[in-house]
């Protein structure tokens, strides 16, 4: 019997509660099951129970077997001195305190409602896309919507943790941190790490000093990316040579070191997503938008944000996807879906954590509002949710559904999920 299931059973009292007795025969009355403790120490804190005629306040420890108390070395741990009740599935050993007193024990082996445990096992061993896909339609809209609200905030807080770590590394420089995370978003999944490494290797302040020259901005970005190393062949066209010449000067001025070009991935990418194109688009965005983070904070609408992020690669790239290799003429504008992705995964989390950090609720509200105004992303996970009758109306809901699938359903965390709990409680 898994302990997480026993935690759930205890928390919601899903066992036969009349005539509860300790293993030594004293009557038990549960007044308050306590608060589930997810940190180190007892499983439930601040519980209240009555044993015999005495009322106790303290902590509850739960184990599959009573002997786990000894296995986990609780006897010599002062944290467990104030345990008022030891709840076990099977009482296979008498457990005593350090002072020799027996710890009151409740055995649940014959008291757990069988249909609840069967439903739990069915969820845990299901091989469906999500464990409850044949039952989720029976969950009330109220339960589902409230849970999605909590998941959305949870997802924002998870993304915010990454930003906070970057902010710490950048000595609380919001502009520099935003520049690095924005660069990461230009790499999408495949090249996100190389793009972030590029931004960390090339401070925003260096680019800002040459904000009037696209050639110099491109030279620094492509140069530090390792894409301007001396070569022979078709790559050596006039523009490539100009970039090399500029980088040769700027690399000495700022002491810049090129990255290894092998970190960039081109294989199995659609040409419009080649890192060469994304770097060129990123360079133009840097050129046309000084103090971008400040302008993001001031933006009052999605349209304003979209206009800020709208950019394109320089004209050289109209007929190329790689240096020196000609292709049919096509302007390399940044797409609407790509902009939406940046807003959802970079700008919204930044607004949210900035509001938290500055104790300004307006930025947090704006972050949520932008998600509600944006259309839902389109991917295979969201299509499968839609097949189950749960269609995201906007990015707020789609982000919540992604969090649900990735952090709960895929990890079989049914007992921590409000949907799973509702299904088990109904049974």
């Amino acid at each position: 019997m898994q302990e997480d299931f026993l935690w759930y059973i205890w928390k919601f009292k899903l066992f036969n509660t009349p005539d509860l007795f300790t293993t030594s025969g004293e009557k038990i009355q549960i007044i308050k099951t306590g608060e589930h403790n997810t940190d180190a120490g007892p499983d439930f804190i601040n519980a209240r129970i009555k044993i015999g005629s005495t009322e106790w306040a303290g902590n509850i420890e739960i184990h599959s077997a009573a002997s786990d108390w000894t296995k986990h070395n609780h006897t010599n741990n002062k944290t467990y001195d104030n345990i008022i009740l030891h709840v076990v599935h099977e009482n296979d050993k008498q457990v005593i305190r350090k002072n020799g007193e027996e710890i009151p024990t409740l055995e649940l082996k014959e008291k757990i409602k069988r249909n609840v445990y069967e439903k739990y096992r069915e969820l845990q061993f299901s091989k469906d896309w999500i464990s409850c896909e044949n039952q989720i339609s029976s969950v009330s809209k109220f339960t589902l919507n409230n849970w999605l609200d909590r998941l959305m905030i949870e997802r924002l807080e998870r993304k915010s943790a990454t930003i906070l770590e970057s902010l710490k590394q950048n000595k609380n420089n919001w502009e520099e941190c935003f520049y690095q995370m924005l660069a990461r978003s230009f790499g999408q999944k495949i090249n996100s790490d190389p793009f972030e490494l590029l931004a960390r290797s090339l401070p925003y302040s260096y680019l800002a000093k040459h904000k009037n020259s696209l050639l110099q901005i491109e030279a620094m970005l492509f140069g530090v990316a390792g894409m301007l190393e001396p070569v022979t062949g078709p790559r050596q066209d006039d523009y490539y040579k100009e970039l090399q010449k500029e980088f040769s000067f700027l690399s000495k001025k700022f002491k810049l070191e090129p990255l290894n070009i092998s970190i960039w991935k081109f294989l199995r990418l659609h040409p419009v997503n080649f890192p060469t194109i994304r770097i060129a688009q990123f360079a133009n965005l840097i050129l046309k938008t000084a103090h971008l983070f400040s302008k993001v904070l001031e933006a009052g609408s999605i349209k304003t944000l979209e206009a800020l992020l709208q950019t394109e690669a320089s004209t050289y790239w109209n007929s190329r996807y790689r240096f020196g290799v000609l292709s049919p003429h096509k302007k390399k504008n940044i797409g609407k879906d790509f902009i939406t992705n940046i807003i959802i995964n970079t700008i919204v989390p930044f607004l949210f954590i900035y509001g938290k950090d500055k104790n300004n609720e307006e930025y947090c509200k704006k972050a949520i509002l932008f998600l509600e105004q944006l259309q839902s992303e389109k991917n295979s996970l969201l299509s499968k949710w839609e097949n189950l009758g749960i269609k995201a109306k906007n990015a707020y809901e789609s982000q919540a559904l992604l969090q649900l699938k990735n952090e709960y359903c895929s990890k079989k965390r049914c007992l921590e999920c409000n949907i799973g709990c509702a299904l088990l409680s109904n049974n």
Side-chain angles (χ1 to χ4, degrees):
M1 179 72 68
Q2 295 91 331
E3 276 188 21
D4 59 350
F5 178 68
L6 293 174
W7 295 337
Y8 171 79
I9 290 295
W10 173 259
K11 183 177 181 179
F12 295 102
K13 293 199 283 191
L14 296 177
F15 49 89
N16 298 317
T17 53
D19 300 324
L20 291 177
F21 293 90
T22 67
T23 52
S24 61
E26 293 184 278
K27 186 170 179 58
I28 302 172
Q29 179 186 351
I30 302 170
I31 301 169
K32 181 184 175 185
T33 58
E35 303 156 20
H36 190 194
N37 175 31
T38 56
D39 297 318
D43 296 316
F44 286 82
I45 59 176
N46 302 324
R48 286 176 59 208
I49 61 172
K50 192 173 182 180
I51 300 177
S53 59
T54 305
E55 186 173 317
W56 298 85
N59 303 330
I60 308 289
E61 182 65 6
I62 297 178
H63 286 125
S64 298
S67 57
D68 289 339
W69 180 279
T70 306
K71 290 177 184 176
H72 298 167
N73 199 28
H74 291 339
T75 304
N76 300 316
N77 189 334
K78 291 183 179 179
T79 308
Y80 295 87
D81 286 349
N82 64 346
I83 295 297
I84 58 175
L85 184 67
H86 189 203
V87 180
V88 301
H89 178 250
E90 184 173 2
N91 184 44
D92 62 342
K93 181 181 180 179
Q94 185 186 47
V95 176
I96 58 174
R97 303 185 195 277
K98 201 171 184 179
N99 62 7
E101 292 179 0
E102 181 182 356
I103 298 177
T105 300
L106 170 63
E107 184 182 63
L108 294 178
K109 191 174 183 179
E110 302 299 329
K111 297 178 174 62
I112 295 174
K113 297 174 181 178
R114 186 164 185 79
N115 63 331
V116 175
Y117 185 59
E118 288 173 351
K119 181 58 65 178
Y120 165 72
R121 284 182 58 83
E122 183 182 326
L123 290 174
Q124 287 298 291
F125 293 102
S126 170
K127 302 223 183 280
D128 292 332
W129 183 69
I130 60 169
S131 295
C132 63
E133 68 176 51
N134 294 321
Q135 309 158 61
I136 196 168
S137 60
S138 67
V139 175
S140 71
K141 288 287 185 184
F142 178 80
T143 298
L144 179 61
N145 290 337
N146 276 339
W147 182 226
L148 291 180
D149 286 340
R150 285 176 57 187
L151 288 170
M152 182 60 253
I153 299 302
E154 184 181 292
R155 187 167 178 84
L156 272 178
E157 288 175 342
R158 180 179 65 79
K159 289 181 177 180
S160 298
T162 304
I163 295 171
L164 285 174
E165 181 58 33
S166 176
L167 191 63
K168 183 180 177 182
Q169 293 172 9
N170 286 291
K171 298 179 181 178
N172 222 39
N173 185 328
W174 284 95
E175 193 86 42
E176 190 71 23
C177 180
F178 181 73
Y179 156 69
Q180 291 172 5
M181 293 296 102
L182 182 63
R184 183 178 180 85
S185 68
F186 265 74
Q188 299 179 290
K189 280 188 177 181
I190 301 297
N191 284 301
S192 57
D193 288 339
F195 248 105
E196 185 177 348
L197 183 58
L198 168 59
R200 290 186 182 279
S201 304
L202 178 60
Y204 178 72
S205 58
Y206 293 2
L207 296 172
K209 289 177 182 178
H210 296 271
K211 60 185 179 182
N212 296 320
S213 171
L214 179 59
L215 178 68
Q216 290 177 320
I217 291 174
E218 278 198 350
M220 281 191 278
L221 285 167
F222 281 116
V224 175
M227 296 182 183
L228 297 180
E229 294 294 276
V231 293
T232 58
R235 194 190 299 179
Q236 285 272 31
D237 57 25
D238 290 342
Y239 190 65
Y240 186 84
K241 290 175 183 177
E242 281 188 76
L243 291 174
Q244 276 187 323
K245 182 180 176 182
E246 287 294 334
F247 184 65
S248 177
F249 165 71
L250 293 166
S251 62
K252 292 171 185 174
K253 177 181 177 180
F254 294 116
K255 297 180 180 178
L256 300 174
E257 291 293 331
L259 301 170
N260 192 319
I261 194 172
S262 65
I263 66 173
W264 299 98
K265 306 294 188 293
F266 287 82
L267 192 63
R268 287 190 289 275
L269 278 179
H270 193 283
V272 294
N273 291 322
F274 278 1
T276 42
I277 300 303
R278 293 308 185 194
I279 289 174
Q281 291 169 337
F282 187 62
N284 205 24
L285 181 63
I286 297 296
L287 175 78
K288 77 182 189 77
T289 315
H291 305 294
L292 181 58
F293 181 59
S294 299
K295 292 179 180 178
V296 164
L297 292 177
E298 295 166 3
S301 69
I302 288 294
K303 285 188 176 180
T304 302
L305 282 179
E306 290 174 339
L308 277 174
L309 295 170
Q310 185 59 56
T311 187
E312 61 186 30
S314 57
T315 54
Y316 172 82
W317 297 101
N318 286 347
S319 55
R320 296 167 183 83
Y321 291 100
R322 291 177 181 262
F323 280 112
V325 181
L326 291 174
S327 62
H329 188 278
K330 182 181 180 182
K331 290 186 72 172
K332 306 301 190 300
N333 295 321
I334 191 170
K336 183 175 175 58
D337 287 345
F338 191 77
I339 291 176
T340 298
N341 183 273
I342 292 173
I343 295 173
I344 291 172
N345 294 301
T346 302
I347 290 178
V348 164
F350 257 94
L351 285 172
F352 184 79
I353 194 58
Y354 187 81
K356 292 279 187 183
D357 185 74
K358 303 301 180 184
N359 200 27
N360 188 329
E361 194 63 27
E362 290 307 308
Y363 289 117
C364 299
K365 289 179 180 177
K366 188 191 290 187
I368 300 296
L369 180 62
F370 284 162
L371 285 176
E372 290 174 339
Q373 292 175 344
L374 282 170
Q375 64 181 15
S376 166
E377 304 102 298
K378 297 175 183 177
N379 58 46
S380 58
L381 288 184
L382 294 169
S383 295
K384 288 181 179 179
W385 278 118
E386 189 171 347
N387 291 338
L388 294 177
I390 302 174
K391 182 178 181 179
K393 297 193 294 289
N394 49 38
Y396 180 97
E397 291 188 358
S398 63
Q399 284 286 292
L401 288 171
L402 292 174
Q403 180 74 0
L404 175 56
K405 170 58 180 171
N406 293 332
E407 298 300 322
Y408 288 85
C409 303
S410 294
K411 297 178 181 179
K412 298 283 187 179
R413 293 171 62 191
C414 304
L415 297 178
E416 300 171 65
C417 170
N418 282 13
I419 296 170
C421 289
L423 291 171
L424 288 169
S425 298
N426 287 341
N427 283 274

